[in-house]
């Protein structure tokens, strides 16, 4: 049985016009931050001007720029979850020794938006983006371990989510030395595999 996708939890149908407007605002914010500017250096005026909408429309959908930024980074969370599980070919398949190529690709993309992500993903894995990433990673890991009967799904899922989120955050903040995304992917993968294999079945 395929584990449920946590992204589906609480999902509601959204009006197509609303979805398009929010997508334009997300794209506009990412473009404004694309030159290396931090979120604090970006204004609502610049975002709505680039998106071609009014300020009233912005505040109809978002309380402030951080709220928009978290929404804009939602795909970052989904991409991280998918990258960590790109090796799977079916229920019960075993992870390879080497990380999936998608993981290094994800880290490469994250490095391109370091200034924005640092605002939302604090050292140690805190912040709104860190909380969302931890929550979705934990849900996916727990569902998959439970589906195949692996031991201690709650404990291991929490450890895996905390390790990935914390290391990613510290790397983006310059606290974890690595020559680049590929090297970090190798180290992270080895760490996560060790966590998955650390606990034997309950006696």
């Amino acid at each position: 049985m395929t584990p449920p996708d946590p992204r589906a939890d609480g999902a509601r149908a959204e009006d197509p016009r609303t979805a398009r407007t929010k997508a334009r605002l997300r794209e506009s914010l990412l473009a404004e931050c694309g030159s290396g500017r931090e979120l604090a250096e970006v204004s609502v005026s610049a975002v709505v001007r680039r998106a071609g909408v009014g300020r009233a429309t912005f505040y109809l959908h978002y309380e402030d720029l951080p709220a928009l930024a978290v929404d804009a980074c939602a795909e970052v969370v989904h991409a991280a979850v998918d990258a960590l599980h790109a090796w799977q070919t079916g229920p019960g398949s075993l992870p390879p020794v080497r990380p999936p190529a998608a993981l290094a690709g994800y880290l490469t993309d994250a490095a391109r938006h370091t200034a924005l992500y640092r605002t939302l993903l604090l050292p140690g894995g805190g912040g709104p983006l860190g909380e969302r990433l931890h929550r979705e990673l934990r849900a996916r890991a727990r569902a998959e371990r439970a589906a195949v009967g692996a031991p201690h799904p709650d404990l291991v899922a929490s450890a895996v989510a905390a390790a990935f989120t914390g290391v990613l955050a510290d790397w983006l903040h310059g606290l974890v030395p690595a020559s680049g995304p590929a090297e970090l992917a190798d180290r992270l993968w080895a760490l996560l595999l060790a966590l998955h294999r650390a606990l034997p079945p309950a006696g």
Side-chain angles (χ1 to χ4, degrees):
M1 183 178 70
T2 302
D5 187 340
R7 279 174 279 181
D9 292 347
R12 294 183 229 169
E14 189 171 45
D15 179 81
R17 291 171 299 177
T18 297
R20 286 194 296 270
T21 298
K22 292 170 74 173
R24 284 159 61 188
L25 288 168
R26 291 193 297 266
E27 292 166 4
S28 177
L29 176 66
L30 292 175
E32 287 293 319
C33 294
S35 58
R37 287 190 295 168
E38 295 185 2
L39 187 61
E41 301 174 294
V42 177
S43 67
V44 171
S45 297
V47 170
V48 298
R49 183 167 56 249
R50 182 185 287 269
V53 303
R55 290 178 67 92
T57 299
F58 174 90
Y59 287 111
L60 180 64
H61 300 298
Y62 298 104
E63 180 180 356
D64 50 25
L65 280 177
L68 170 59
V70 170
D71 193 22
C73 291
E75 282 306 310
V76 175
V77 173
H78 303 333
V81 175
D82 290 341
L84 282 175
H85 299 85
W87 54 271
Q88 291 179 324
T89 57
S93 55
L94 297 175
V97 175
R98 299 282 299 171
L103 180 55
Y106 166 77
L107 294 172
T108 299
D109 186 68
R112 295 193 188 106
H113 297 93
T114 297
L116 174 60
Y117 297 164
R118 280 177 177 172
T119 304
L120 304 170
L121 182 57
L122 306 179
L129 182 57
E131 292 169 3
R132 185 165 186 164
L133 179 57
H134 183 280
R135 183 170 63 250
E136 294 201 18
L137 280 173
R138 186 186 186 281
R140 179 75 170 265
R142 189 199 179 286
E144 289 176 349
R145 288 186 69 84
V148 299
H152 311 289
D154 291 294
L155 179 58
V156 174
S158 290
V160 166
F164 182 85
T165 305
V167 171
L168 174 63
D170 287 357
W171 178 64
L172 291 173
H173 283 273
L175 301 176
V176 173
S179 62
E183 181 181 347
L184 181 64
D186 286 342
R187 294 176 180 176
L188 254 176
W189 190 251
L191 175 62
L192 298 179
L193 285 182
L195 288 172
H196 272 291
R197 297 166 176 168
L199 297 176

